[in-house]
């Protein structure tokens, strides 16, 4: 997806060694001269591990794993993760799943993500009813109310050398909002976090073009 010099710079900072995009040319058939330079058996595309269709909680909290805590504990933890992302020296991807757009659009949460979007490479927010751009620079991903992801709360941060995530599933309690309980995992396991992030990215629709 490299379309500009800025995209190329960010990809380079992330350690990318291969890239494609409109910066290098529009899609077209391979020229005969280029085709003759390919060594026998060469592949033009190298596939990475397939993106998983499971949600982050299904990936990270399989078989009932994780710790149980009430909402205020997770709020404090998620804010701490976001603050560490803000302090990162390198370009960072930040993905937040908030169950509903209303929970993201609370002033303090939205304000933190505006700050993140001003500093980080890619910032996205997921939730039922989420607008395409719920805050300046933040990509929105609207969820259906009956999606499994709508029952999950995540803050996922990945940069070239650091990864941290809060991955949580709502246990469905009634009563006051502050007493809602979640099964959750706080982790720095990069492989697990990247798997969770890749699964979330499937919910982000391409931007509408005029």
């Amino acid at each position: 997806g490299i379309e500009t010099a800025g995209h190329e710079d960010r990809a380079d900072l992330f350690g990318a060694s291969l890239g494609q995009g409109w910066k290098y040319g529009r899609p077209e058939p391979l020229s005969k001269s280029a085709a003759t330079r390919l060594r026998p058996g060469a592949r033009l595309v190298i596939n990475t591990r397939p993106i998983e269709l499971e949600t982050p909680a299904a990936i990270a909290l399989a078989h009932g794993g994780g710790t149980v805590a009430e909402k205020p504990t997770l709020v404090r933890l998620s804010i701490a993760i976001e603050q560490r992302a803000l302090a990162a020296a390198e370009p960072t991807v930040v993905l937040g799943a908030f169950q509903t757009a209303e929970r993201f659009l609370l002033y303090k949460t939205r304000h933190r993500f505006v700050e993140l979007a001003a500093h980080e490479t890619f910032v996205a927010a997921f939730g039922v009813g989420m607008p395409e751009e719920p805050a300046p620079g933040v990509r929105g991903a609207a969820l259906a109310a009956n999606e499994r992801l709508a029952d999950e709360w995540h803050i996922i941060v990945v940069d070239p050398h650091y990864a941290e995530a809060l991955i949580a599933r709502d246990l469905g309690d009634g009563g006051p909002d502050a007493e809602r309980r979640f099964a959750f995992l706080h982790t720095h396991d990069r492989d697990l976090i990247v798997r969770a992030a890749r699964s979330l990215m499937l919910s982000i629709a391409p931007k509408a073009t005029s």
Side-chain angles (χ1 to χ4, degrees):
I2 298 173
E3 299 181 4
T4 67
H7 293 165
E8 187 177 60
D9 289 344
R10 288 195 292 272
D12 185 57
L13 284 169
F14 269 107
S17 58
L18 297 173
Q20 61 81 225
W22 286 355
K23 182 180 187 301
Y24 309 121
R26 299 278 171 156
E28 60 183 12
L30 191 67
S31 69
K32 289 184 179 180
S33 61
T36 60
R37 294 196 299 271
L38 289 175
R39 66 184 184 278
R43 299 175 64 194
L44 295 180
V45 177
I46 300 174
N47 292 324
T48 60
R49 179 169 52 197
I51 296 176
E52 297 177 64
L53 299 179
E54 295 287 0
T55 66
I59 293 169
L61 302 175
H63 311 298
T67 303
V68 175
E70 293 183 347
K71 180 179 177 178
T73 298
L74 273 63
V75 169
R76 291 191 294 271
L77 182 53
S78 64
I79 291 172
I81 294 171
E82 292 160 11
Q83 290 174 337
R84 284 190 282 274
L86 270 173
E90 302 199 38
T92 304
V93 171
V94 181
L95 308 176
F98 298 91
Q99 298 189 283
T100 67
E102 290 78 10
R103 292 189 175 106
F104 171 80
L105 294 172
L106 293 170
Y107 172 76
K108 290 182 179 179
T109 302
R110 183 179 183 276
H111 180 72
R112 288 196 302 273
F113 266 66
V114 169
E115 287 189 89
L116 286 165
H119 295 88
E120 311 306 345
T121 300
F122 185 83
V123 178
F126 304 74
V128 176
M130 191 71 72
E132 183 178 283
E133 189 174 9
V138 178
R139 287 289 298 276
L143 306 177
N146 62 350
E147 283 188 57
R148 288 180 298 164
L149 186 54
D151 291 326
E152 300 183 9
W153 176 2
H154 311 306
I155 299 294
I156 295 176
V157 174
V158 183
D159 76 17
H161 306 291
Y162 178 81
E164 183 176 10
L166 163 67
I167 298 174
R169 180 190 291 119
D170 194 330
L171 295 180
D173 295 333
D177 185 64
E179 295 178 6
R180 292 166 58 220
R181 295 177 307 140
F182 293 79
F184 79 96
L185 176 69
H186 176 215
T187 181
H188 293 273
D189 182 330
R190 186 177 185 87
D191 182 65
L192 179 65
I193 291 169
V194 169
R195 288 171 60 197
R198 283 164 60 84
S199 74
L200 271 184
M201 294 295 283
L202 287 175
S203 298
I204 300 177
K207 278 189 174 180
T209 55
S210 55

